[in-house]
DNA sequence: ATGAGTGCAAATAGTTTGCAAGCTG
DNA sequence: CAGCTTGCAAACTATTTGCACTCAT
């Protein structure tokens, strides 16, 4: 099991959430992924029959609330999640055609937080996704 | 009819798209809005019986592709659209609880474009949405 | 007049909810 | 052993598609 999965698990425990076989599998699947995955994609990458799709939805939602995974959205509105790759907060560049993704380290989180606070808002979060057509799909 | 709607209409014409009564109404509704609207919300703000919801979906999609409106996404994945308020590209800060929105002028579009191009990607677009809880909802 | 655009009905995709049974702490 | 968690079925929401008819150009 990856270190990052271990870390995620202890955070869950600290928050009083229970650690089940399914949750470990889901976290490990995300840890193996090269790109953010939707609930369906995560489910497809779990050992067959090991966990119901509904459970994946519920767990991803809780993991997000617990702060152990990051939430993103595709251009079509599908929610996607990723375990920080052990590299903290970041964003992705996704190919519209083939779905290939690249990490992007640009982020204006701090400026956003400041601006939002100047409006009196609290509990700030943000979603940023970049889309384009990758070299292999340009043909 | 607002100037910004007139402008949008001529862009549509230039692209060979047809200008129908429904399209004018949809554009005017968005021009009146203070915040980005989903297809359902846009439809709800049209004169009763003037346009089918399906048509709203189709038009918003085309307007986005034609570049006359901007696409955003809510935290739950719902797509929202806005007519630039005559002020060009910008983003929004949305209250999770009451839906209130504020304009945010921060944007790193150019840096994103550059980074994406360095990966060989073209036709870059991005979605950025900021969420929080507004002062009135903090109680 | 011709093909883009529309309305209506029906299909989809993604996600959420209810409830009884199972497992973790 | 209490109650968080899961699985299964069913409901839901947002969005898309098929098709015949209408209207802008």
């Amino acid at each position: 099991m990856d270190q990052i999965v271990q870390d995620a698990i202890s955070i869950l425990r600290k928050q009083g959430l229970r650690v089940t076989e399914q949750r470990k599998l889901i976290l490990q699947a995300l840890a193996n992924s090269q790109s953010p995955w939707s609930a369906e994609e995560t489910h497809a990458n779990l050992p067959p029959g090991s966990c119901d799709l509904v459970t994946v939805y519920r767990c991803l939602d809780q993991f997000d609330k617990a702060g152990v995974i990051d939430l993103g959205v595709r251009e079509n509105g599908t929610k996607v999640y990723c375990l920080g790759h052990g590299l903290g907060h970041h964003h992705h560049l996704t190919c519209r055609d083939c779905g290939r993704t690249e990490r992007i380290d640009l982020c204006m989180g701090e400026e956003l937080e400041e601006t939002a606070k100047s409006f009196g808002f609290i509990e700030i979060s943000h979603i940023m996704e970049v889309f384009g057509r990758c070299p292999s799909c340009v043909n």
Side-chain angles (χ1 to χ4, degrees), chain A:
Chain A
M1 193 187 301
D2 291 16
Q3 182 56 46
I4 186 160
V5 175
Q6 309 265 21
D7 295 346
I9 288 178
S10 26
I11 297 179
L12 293 184
R13 281 225 167 78
K14 253 173 228 147
Q15 307 201 10
L17 295 171
R18 293 182 180 176
V19 178
T20 63
E21 198 51 42
Q22 289 89 333
R23 294 187 171 190
K24 284 189 239 173
L25 289 171
I26 291 171
L27 288 169
Q28 186 59 56
L30 288 177
N32 295 341
S33 165
Q34 295 308 302
S35 56
W37 275 345
S38 67
E40 302 252 14
E41 288 156 356
T42 308
H43 181 246
N45 282 279
L46 259 27
S50 60
C51 177
D52 193 86
L53 173 58
V54 176
T55 300
V56 177
Y57 275 105
R58 288 194 269 228
C59 289
L60 291 175
D61 187 45
Q62 283 207 291
F63 295 170
D64 173 40
K65 282 179 183 142
V68 305
I69 61 178
D70 283 324
L71 169 64
V73 195
R74 298 240 171 90
E75 245 177 346
N76 68 356
T78 309
K79 289 184 207 167
V80 293
Y81 301 86
C82 75
L83 234 182
H85 310 318
L87 295 151
H89 182 81
H90 63 277
H91 294 282
H92 296 93
L93 166 61
T94 306
C95 175
R96 238 175 239 120
D97 293 346
C98 69
R100 165 180 162 192
T101 66
E102 304 286 348
R103 269 185 61 101
I104 284 194
D105 287 308
L106 280 176
C107 177
M108 48 190 343
E110 286 162 37
E111 294 94 317
L112 289 175
E113 186 111 357
E114 268 180 47
T115 308
K117 281 186 176 149
S118 75
F119 280 108
F121 280 57
I122 61 168
E123 294 167 25
I124 315 302
S125 66
H126 71 282
I127 285 176
M128 181 169 81
E129 300 291 331
V130 189
F131 305 93
R133 290 216 299 151
C134 82
S136 344
C137 290
V138 168
N139 315 314

